[in-house]
Amino acid sequence: MSDLDFLKQEARKNVTVAQYFDGLSVKMAQEILNIRLKKGLSQTQLAELAGFTQKSISRIEGGDPGVKIETYEKVLMVLNTDGSKILKQYELKKESI
């Protein structure tokens, strides 16, 4: 488990933060699905390019909150997409924590 995943796990103990990460997983899933479809790739093709299984891509696109941050990064890299632009659309406001 990476340090970032450990921090995510610890932070999820706060209900507001947990809701944020769940929402972020859904947002990332939607973006990855949309980008994959725009590029004309199947889940199987994306899986092969990223070095994952089709089942893993299905979990990612399904918004599974257990997907590791490194996994999102690798898929976004394969899709030639800057994940930071997606994340900026869904910023956590400090006052909500």
Side-chain angles (χ1 to χ4, degrees), residues 18-71:
Q19 290 171 342
Y20 165 77
F21 278 115
D22 290 346
L24 182 59
S25 295
V26 170
K27 180 67 176 166
M28 292 295 284
Q30 292 169 343
E31 292 292 331
I32 288 171
L33 173 63
N34 289 337
I35 295 165
R36 177 180 64 78
L37 293 174
K38 284 180 186 174
K39 293 187 178 270
L41 296 170
S42 68
Q43 284 186 342
T44 302
Q45 290 169 320
L46 178 56
E48 289 173 0
L49 291 170
F52 298 119
T53 64
Q54 181 276 326
K55 185 175 179 177
S56 294
I57 299 300
S58 179
R59 282 185 52 231
I60 293 165
E61 291 182 353
D64 182 339
V67 174
K68 293 183 177 185
I69 292 167
E70 291 87 356
T71 303

Side-chain angles (χ1 to χ4, degrees), residues 70-88:
E70 291 87 356
T71 303
Y72 286 122
E73 289 174 341
K74 186 165 186 178
V75 171
L76 290 168
M77 183 181 70
V78 167
L79 291 170
N80 198 26
T81 301
D82 184 2
S84 65
K85 290 180 183 177
I86 297 168
L87 294 175
K88 284 182 183 181

